């Protein structure tokens, strides 16, 4: 069965970096893109962008350029989200999801990143 | 700039009642690429409806989607206890990518 399993919660200080992983199984990894979605505490869903798992080419939403980097390791069917220069407002749950570039049919369980001094 | 709105913000209903949720986009949706998700507290979103009206695998037939252009509706014909959740619509824009609406909370009256 299709599964996306994300790395665990992280507590980071402002200015630090964090890398969230998303390991896929149950399907051919390079046949679907991976979306990244942010959800701040008590807030709605915010699309961060996606990465084409066949070419490795990412696309970032307007508000997620510069400090946010998507990457892949196709040998282990894993996508990564790297956030640098963390700020308090980056505190959120980050989801990965398998996507056709429109709908996302399988989602990871979410990774909570807390930024606090 | 594409904007997606949802109404009402909160819908208070009883089990067995019909729920009608609205999603409006500021520009006509490309190819009916309108998607609906359900999210329960502490869980990831779940795909319900794609292409405006197609139910995802395993979604009960009490959920239906309709609409075209800029006006879309998610209908839950008879609310079950497990249907009380937040519902998001999502549009696809060629220049901005995916845009989520702010969500509608369906809670128990």
């Amino acid at each position: 069965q299709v599964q996306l399993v994300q790395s665990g919660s992280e507590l980071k200080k402002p200015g630090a970096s964090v890398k969230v992983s998303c390991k896929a199984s149950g399907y051919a990894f390079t046949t679907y893109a991976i979306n990244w979605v942010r959800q701040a505490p008590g807030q709605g869903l915010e699309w961060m962008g996606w990465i084409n798992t066949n070419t490795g080419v990412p696309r970032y939403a307007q508000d997620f350029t510069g400090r946010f980097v998507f990457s892949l390791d196709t040998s282990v069917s894993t996508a990564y989200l790297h956030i640098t220069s963390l700020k308090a407002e980056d505190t959120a749950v980050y989801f990965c999801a398998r996507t056709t570039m429109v709908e996302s049919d399988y989602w990871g369980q979410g990774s909570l990143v807390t930024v606090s001094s | 700039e594409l904007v997606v709105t949802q109404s009402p913000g909160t819908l208070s209903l009883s089990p067995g009642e019909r729920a009608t949720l609205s999603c409006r986009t500021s520009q006509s949706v490309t190819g009916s690429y309108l998607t609906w998700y359900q999210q329960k507290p502490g869980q990831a979103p779940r795909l319900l409806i794609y292409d405006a009206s197609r139910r995802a695998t395993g979604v009960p037939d009490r959920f239906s989607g309709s609409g075209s252009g800029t006006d879309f509706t998610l209908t839950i014909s008879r609310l079950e206890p497990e249907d009380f959740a937040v519902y998001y619509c999502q549009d696809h824009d060629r220049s901005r990518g995916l845009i989520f609406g702010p969500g509608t909370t369906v809670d128990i009256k």
Side-chain angles (χ1 to χ4, degrees):
Chain A
Q1 73 283 20
V2 174
Q3 277 193 303
L4 297 175
V5 178
Q6 298 184 226
S7 49
S9 299
E10 301 266 12
L11 174 60
K12 296 290 184 181
K13 294 189 184 305
S17 298
V18 69
K19 198 167 189 176
V20 175
S21 66
C22 170
K23 182 170 177 58
S25 61
Y27 72 100
F29 182 64
T30 57
T31 57
Y32 290 83
I34 295 289
N35 264 337
W36 288 97
V37 174
R38 183 170 80 176
Q39 188 167 39
Q43 302 300 308
L45 303 173
E46 201 175 5
W47 180 69
M48 302 173 66
W50 59 44
I51 184 163
N52 184 319
T53 55
N54 195 37
T55 63
V57 175
R59 178 182 177 181
Y60 300 98
Q62 276 183 332
D63 291 343
F64 294 95
T65 57
R67 297 188 300 113
F68 302 85
V69 177
F70 307 147
S71 62
L72 301 170
D73 184 343
T74 54
S75 68
V76 290
S77 302
T78 300
Y80 300 95
L81 165 65
H82 188 210
I83 311 173
T84 59
S85 303
L86 282 162
K87 307 174 183 181
E89 51 264 42
D90 295 324
T91 294
V93 176
Y94 292 84
F95 292 102
C96 65
R98 187 180 89 160
T99 183
T100 62
M101 300 274 192
V102 179
E103 69 268 7
S104 299
D105 58 356
Y106 287 91
W107 292 66
Q109 82 276 20
S111 297
L112 173 63
V113 175
T114 303
V115 184
S116 174
S117 54
Chain B
E1 172 177 303
L2 177 65
V3 176
V4 179
T5 57
Q6 292 185 242
S7 61
T10 301
L11 196 51
S12 297
L13 295 168
S14 300
E17 289 194 294
R18 181 184 187 90
T20 303
L21 287 67
S22 174
C23 176
R24 286 189 172 172
T25 64
S26 58
Q27 299 168 20
S28 187
V29 172
T30 307
S32 291
Y33 288 153
L34 195 288
T35 307
W36 290 93
Y37 298 94
Q38 175 195 65
Q39 188 180 32
K40 297 179 182 179
Q43 296 185 16
R46 173 196 180 193
L47 176 65
L48 290 179
I49 301 286
Y50 64 99
D51 289 353
S53 61
R54 296 175 182 267
R55 269 190 301 276
T57 303
V59 175
D61 60 7
R62 63 180 180 274
F63 291 91
S64 62
S66 62
S68 62
T70 61
D71 288 294
F72 297 85
T73 300
L74 174 70
T75 301
I76 311 170
S77 59
R78 292 176 312 282
L79 282 164
E80 297 288 340
E82 62 268 27
D83 299 337
F84 292 93
V86 181
Y87 293 84
Y88 295 95
C89 63
Q90 173 215 283
D91 187 12
H92 171 263
D93 177 73
R94 190 185 301 271
S95 61
R96 290 189 62 202
L98 303 180
I99 313 294
F100 288 99
T104 290
T105 299
V106 178
D107 64 16
I108 299 177
K109 187 173 181 182

